[in-house]
Amino acid sequence: MKDVENISSMMAELGQRARAAAKVLATAPAEAKTRALNAAADALWAARAEVIAENAKDLEFGRDKGLSDAMMDRLMLDEARIQGICDGLRSVAGQDDPVGAVMAEWDRPSGLHIQRVRTPLGVIGVIYESRPNVTADAGALCLKAGNAVILRGGSESFHSSRAIHAALAAGLREAGLPEDAVQLVPTRDRAAVSEMLTMTDYIDVIVPRGGKGLVGLVQREARVPVFAHLEGIVHVYVDAAADADKAMRVVMNAKTRRTGICGAAECLLIHRDQLAGLGTEIVKALLAAGVEVRGDAAIQEIEGVVPATDADWGTEFLDSIIAARVVDDLDEAITYISDHHSQHTDCIITEDDGAAAEFFARLDSAILMRNASTQFADGGEFGMGAEIGIATGKMHARGPVGAEQLTSFKYLVVGDGAIRK
Amino acid sequence: MKDVENISSMMAELGQRARAAAKVLATAPAEAKTRALNAAADALWAARAEVIAENAKDLEFGRDKGLSDAMMDRLMLDEARIQGICDGLRSVAGQDDPVGAVMAEWDRPSGLHIQRVRTPLGVIGVIYESRPNVTADAGALCLKAGNAVILRGGSESFHSSRAIHAALAAGLREAGLPEDAVQLVPTRDRAAVSEMLTMTDYIDVIVPRGGKGLVGLVQREARVPVFAHLEGIVHVYVDAAADADKAMRVVMNAKTRRTGICGAAECLLIHRDQLAGLGTEIVKALLAAGVEVRGDAAIQEIEGVVPATDADWGTEFLDSIIAARVVDDLDEAITYISDHHSQHTDCIITEDDGAAAEFFARLDSAILMRNASTQFADGGEFGMGAEIGIATGKMHARGPVGAEQLTSFKYLVVGDGAIRK
């Protein structure tokens, strides 16, 4: 009880500081933010040896905790990865500043001139898990958009995140911006997460990046608005009118390029007319590439396919596994996907413009693709520089969330003594 | 307990029907929606005698309940007002359909073509109070944007809203669209409101339109995302560099044109240098127009001004009352407004471009005005056709909420077999 009270007052203090910093950030010149990000990259690179030493503590903690190889790999930092984080900071620094951009302007018969102008959201809370680079990416994007941010990294990356955060703080100091613009929650206690989810006075929006446990906690407890980031339960549908070569290339890339990212394909739907030829070839190619194919009754006929269970449909494997089933037509494909996807990314392979249009119209995924790998579901690939994640909700931000999506807007209305009749 | 259970299952049924209707609406042709709205206007006009008869029941209920004259006036429908509602329906019908509009599109070096396209939000819940016309306005805007809507009107306008809703239903039938696209909660029981606020499976966003009681309930109970509509605690600041004529015109219009709307001025700030001349003239003009001026110590010196109490600062009077105080400079004005406004609409009267720029930059109201009456805070005056309200939150929708603000978007990505490196 005592601890929770302490955490509550500690978080409130972080919140107050973030609010104060947000006021300064909201009107900070673009140059100051750019300078802070470039200086942070310099500071991080200069401190790479210390960062790697801090990261070693996290790796040891992870080993003791028995983390999987995949998780240990996500956690690990070396010079090349730190170089990548520095490049990311410089890339965000180099983007256009979204704050103050005029989104639209028009005149009214009343004599008013109206502008719709981008403004920061205020204070953003980012809750994430093991990858330490999110500390830099999320911190940089929030700062670019003129927001203060409270970062709550996973307990596994505690020391690494602290070391990266120190570089961000150094950058802010060098640019004369308040250090409180980017704060890192200084405890591993999970009570801090619950606190963030209900700090409506101090946090304007929560960006949760993590697995089912975190998503569930957010859905139960959040009082602060949330940019939902659900899993990527990504479907690829090979239509009756699919081109064989495109289908093979796209499915293989969508599943096997990297299996652990949210844009990786998790379920393959094959039109019944394609099953005997192209469909079988694709399944065989997946098996040959070492992918475990969990099929429905029809696909189980192909040698090497294992039977799918109910739990395999609508599941994010994030592994070298794919569920596969046959559908009778486009309508069945769309209905099935509607019932099983997470509104993240879904794809149709077809040469039929009508089928593509129907797929695009009837599904309401954040990203819909035609004849392109779902692994393109990424802010960088969309040309947004960096991303804080792929939002799957429908409110405010959707799809890849870059600096521009971390803003709000206001109307500036100018008259010359105009009064309303 | 029994009643609450019944309401819970009744609301769930409404929700299921709304979800089903939303699926149809999402891909309904623009012409069908236009036709439904025009047909609803025809049906409403044809039924005007019945609507007025139903309204009479509400007026009787209101009299028994002892509603104020202002509230009785808001509730009352006559032919002219019904004509106004019909005009509103036709005006929304005539607007461009937002669904499917391409907001942006671009090509990527990977060969992808990316489009950002408007989509409906899904199911919208609108909770409002006494004005029966909101039934038509909100229903029409939600429909235009391809959303299903669940309307929960105030108990005072129960019969009037039912009669207006019947006309909307007739319009939907005539256009071959599902009647469940616009549903009206068929009970006065307030438990239905609590139910709506937590129906995350069936409602995508809540638009609350009402006073402090409703706002508080929403803040405590809502699990569904909310487009915050706080009160309009609207400030007008007469700067040192104000033009006397513009200041007089704008302040008088902002306060007295209509006192019961959310854009009406509630607090007047006068720069100390203006107090002796222009400031005193404005206060005298307000008094002469029958406005009660509640002043700070300096303004109390003017004859007829009554002393303001602490409760008068940051208060929405919605009446012929204004709080008034003197500030030493622009900085004090901005700080005071930041601490007391509701981020709705605030105005500066000045000829000084620097002062206006600082006012615009440092305040984060949804609408900021210069030398223009705050009574222009209105979707119609902004050129948006109609509005469901003026949102004061920072997420998704802000300022006047028209059909366009009731949409989300998705990305449509087309390749030609593109795979990610």
Side-chain angles (χ1 to χ4, degrees):
Chain A
M1 192 63 198
K2 186 78 188 315
D3 272 0
V4 171
E5 270 173 36
N6 284 348
I7 284 182
S8 182
S9 67
M10 180 195 76
M11 292 305 294
E13 203 191 310
L14 256 63
Q16 283 159 14
R17 287 205 219 142
R19 269 275 170 257
K23 281 213 169 184
V24 179
L25 264 269
T27 56
E31 310 81 68
K33 293 183 281 180
T34 303
R35 196 169 144 211
L37 292 169
N38 282 323
D42 292 344
L44 182 59
W45 186 242
R48 61 194 180 279
E50 291 149 67
V51 173
I52 290 170
E54 290 300 307
N55 183 246
K57 295 183 195 167
D58 287 334
L59 291 172
E60 194 184 325
F61 177 84
R63 257 188 305 273
D64 291 350
K65 218 177 150 186
L67 292 187
S68 69
D69 288 353
M71 287 187 74
M72 288 294 283
D73 180 62
R74 278 189 222 172
L75 192 52
M76 189 273 289
L77 291 177
D78 56 16
E79 275 215 354
R81 288 191 178 180
I82 292 172
Q83 179 70 62
I85 296 173
C86 293
D87 291 348
L89 288 168
R90 288 185 213 283
S91 154
V92 175
Q95 285 173 39
D96 289 341
D97 194 290
V99 178
V102 178
M103 303 162 72
E105 58 184 320
W106 63 97
D107 291 300
R108 295 290 303 153
S110 54
L112 299 183
H113 181 71
I114 303 181
Q115 289 185 313
R116 193 180 195 219
V117 169
R118 279 198 201 285
T119 60
L121 281 171
V123 178
I124 297 179
V126 183
I127 303 170
Y128 52 103
E129 298 191 331
S130 58
R131 288 177 202 263
N133 63 301
V134 177
T135 306
D137 294 351
L141 286 168
C142 291
L143 177 65
K144 184 79 186 185
N147 300 296
V149 60
I150 299 175
L151 300 165
R152 205 288 181 179
S155 58
E156 295 85 359
S157 58
F158 187 69
H159 294 97
S160 315
S161 290
R162 277 212 304 193
I164 294 170
H165 174 257
L168 295 174
L172 288 162
R173 271 197 307 274
E174 183 154 334
L177 292 174
E179 269 187 63
D180 291 337
V182 181
Q183 296 181 89
L184 184 69
V185 176
T187 170
R188 281 172 160 152
D189 195 319
R190 272 189 86 84
V193 174
S194 297
E195 212 47 57
M196 284 176 76
L197 294 174
T198 53
M199 284 167 64
T200 49
D201 286 346
Y202 302 122
I203 299 183
D204 295 292
V205 61
I206 291 282
V207 182
R209 295 286 314 280
K212 282 190 177 171
L214 178 59
V215 170
L217 184 72
V218 167
Q219 282 172 339
R220 279 193 311 279
E221 297 191 7
R223 304 298 304 162
V224 178
V226 172
F227 286 174
H229 283 67
L230 295 183
E231 330 155 73
I233 307 177
V234 172
H235 293 73
V236 179
Y237 165 57
V238 177
D239 185 47
D243 174 88
D245 176 53
K246 292 178 195 171
M248 180 65 80
R249 284 159 57 84
V250 167
V251 172
M252 292 306 291
N253 186 263
K255 180 66 247 181
T256 67
R257 175 183 162 273
R258 281 180 67 189
T259 57
I261 68 173
C262 59
E266 306 292 8
C267 182
L268 174 66
L269 305 179
I270 299 172
H271 190 285
R272 189 167 297 281
D273 295 351
Q274 295 278 19
L275 178 60
L278 174 63
T280 299
E281 279 171 48
I282 291 173
V283 169
K284 283 185 177 170
L286 286 165
L287 292 166
V291 176
E292 181 177 323
V293 180
R294 300 183 181 174
D296 67 356
I299 290 181
Q300 281 169 44
E301 301 292 314
I302 303 165
E303 200 187 317
V305 172
V306 300
T309 65
D310 285 353
D312 291 321
W313 309 115
T315 288
E316 186 185 40
F317 300 110
L318 290 178
D319 205 342
S320 198
I321 303 169
I322 196 165
R325 61 191 292 133
V326 169
V327 291
D328 285 336
D329 52 26
L330 175 64
D331 182 68
E332 187 184 331
I334 290 172
T335 304
Y336 175 85
I337 294 172
S338 289
D339 292 344
H340 293 86
H341 69 162
S342 56
Q343 294 184 275
H344 188 293
T345 301
D346 299 290
C347 175
I348 183 171
I349 314 289
T350 190
E351 298 302 300
D352 177 345
D353 290 345
E358 191 171 343
F359 191 87
F360 279 7
R362 288 177 55 196
L363 284 170
D364 62 351
S365 318
I367 304 172
L368 290 164
M369 294 189 160
R370 176 185 182 185
N371 295 340
S373 170
T374 56
Q375 300 242 351
F376 282 116
D378 173 88
E381 292 295 331
F382 272 53
M384 295 177 184
E387 65 169 38
I388 205 169
I390 307 272
T392 54
K394 285 184 171 181
M395 309 297 275
H396 195 90
R398 203 171 194 219
V401 179
E404 196 176 280
Q405 284 73 38
L406 296 172
T407 62
S408 182
F409 57 86
K410 61 185 173 188
Y411 293 96
L412 304 181
V413 181
V414 176
D416 191 33
I419 59 171
R420 188 169 170 191
K421 300 232 162 51
Chain B
M1 194 60 198
K2 188 78 188 316
D3 272 0
V4 172
E5 271 174 34
N6 285 347
I7 285 182
S8 182
S9 67
M10 182 196 75
M11 293 304 295
E13 203 190 310
L14 257 63
Q16 282 159 15
R17 287 204 218 141
R19 270 274 170 258
K23 280 211 170 187
V24 179
L25 264 269
T27 56
E31 310 82 68
K33 293 182 282 181
T34 303
R35 197 169 145 211
L37 291 169
N38 283 322
D42 293 343
L44 182 59
W45 187 243
R48 61 193 179 280
E50 292 151 64
V51 174
I52 290 170
E54 291 298 309
N55 184 246
K57 296 184 196 168
D58 287 334
L59 291 172
E60 195 184 324
F61 176 84
R63 259 189 303 273
D64 292 351
K65 219 178 147 183
L67 292 188
S68 69
D69 288 354
M71 285 188 78
M72 289 293 283
D73 180 63
R74 276 188 224 172
L75 192 51
M76 190 272 291
L77 291 177
D78 56 17
E79 275 215 354
R81 288 190 179 182
I82 293 172
Q83 181 69 64
I85 296 173
C86 293
D87 291 348
L89 288 169
R90 288 185 213 282
S91 152
V92 175
Q95 287 172 37
D96 289 341
D97 193 291
V99 178
V102 178
M103 304 162 72
E105 57 185 319
W106 63 97
D107 292 299
R108 294 291 303 155
S110 54
L112 299 183
H113 181 71
I114 302 180
Q115 289 185 314
R116 195 180 193 216
V117 170
R118 280 199 201 285
T119 60
L121 280 171
V123 178
I124 297 179
V126 184
I127 303 170
Y128 53 104
E129 298 190 332
S130 58
R131 290 177 200 263
N133 64 300
V134 178
T135 306
D137 294 350
L141 286 168
C142 291
L143 177 64
K144 185 76 184 186
N147 300 297
V149 60
I150 298 174
L151 299 165
R152 206 288 180 178
S155 58
E156 295 85 0
S157 59
F158 186 69
H159 294 98
S160 316
S161 290
R162 277 213 302 193
I164 294 171
H165 174 256
L168 295 174
L172 288 162
R173 272 196 306 275
E174 184 155 333
L177 292 174
E179 270 187 63
D180 291 336
V182 182
Q183 296 181 91
L184 184 68
V185 175
T187 171
R188 281 173 160 153
D189 195 319
R190 272 189 84 84
V193 173
S194 297
E195 212 49 56
M196 284 176 76
L197 294 175
T198 53
M199 284 167 63
T200 48
D201 285 347
Y202 302 122
I203 299 184
D204 295 294
V205 61
I206 290 283
V207 181
R209 293 286 313 278
K212 281 194 178 170
L214 178 59
V215 170
L217 185 72
V218 168
Q219 282 173 337
R220 279 193 311 279
E221 297 191 5
R223 304 298 304 162
V224 177
V226 172
F227 285 174
H229 282 67
L230 295 185
E231 329 155 73
I233 306 175
V234 172
H235 294 73
V236 179
Y237 164 58
V238 177
D239 185 47
D243 174 88
D245 176 53
K246 292 177 195 171
M248 181 65 79
R249 285 160 56 83
V250 168
V251 172
M252 293 306 291
N253 186 264
K255 180 68 246 181
T256 67
R257 175 183 163 271
R258 282 178 69 188
T259 57
I261 67 173
C262 60
E266 306 292 9
C267 182
L268 174 65
L269 304 178
I270 298 172
H271 191 284
R272 190 167 296 281
D273 295 350
Q274 295 279 18
L275 178 59
L278 174 63
T280 299
E281 280 171 46
I282 291 173
V283 169
K284 285 185 176 168
L286 286 165
L287 292 166
V291 176
E292 180 178 324
V293 180
R294 302 185 180 173
D296 67 357
I299 290 181
Q300 283 169 42
E301 300 293 314
I302 303 166
E303 198 185 321
V305 171
V306 300
T309 65
D310 285 351
D312 290 321
W313 309 114
T315 289
E316 186 185 40
F317 301 110
L318 289 178
D319 205 342
S320 199
I321 302 169
I322 196 164
R325 62 190 293 134
V326 169
V327 291
D328 285 335
D329 53 25
L330 175 64
D331 182 67
E332 187 183 334
I334 291 172
T335 304
Y336 176 84
I337 295 172
S338 289
D339 291 345
H340 294 86
H341 70 162
S342 55
Q343 294 184 274
H344 188 293
T345 300
D346 299 291
C347 176
I348 183 171
I349 315 289
T350 191
E351 297 302 300
D352 177 345
D353 291 346
E358 192 170 343
F359 191 88
F360 279 8
R362 286 178 54 197
L363 285 170
D364 62 352
S365 319
I367 303 173
L368 290 164
M369 295 189 159
R370 176 185 181 184
N371 295 340
S373 169
T374 56
Q375 300 242 352
F376 282 117
D378 173 89
E381 292 295 332
F382 271 52
M384 296 177 183
E387 65 169 38
I388 204 169
I390 307 270
T392 53
K394 286 185 171 179
M395 307 298 274
H396 195 90
R398 201 169 195 221
V401 179
E404 196 174 281
Q405 285 74 37
L406 296 172
T407 61
S408 182
F409 57 86
K410 60 185 173 187
Y411 293 95
L412 304 181
V413 181
V414 176
D416 191 33
I419 59 171
R420 188 170 169 192
K421 299 233 164 53

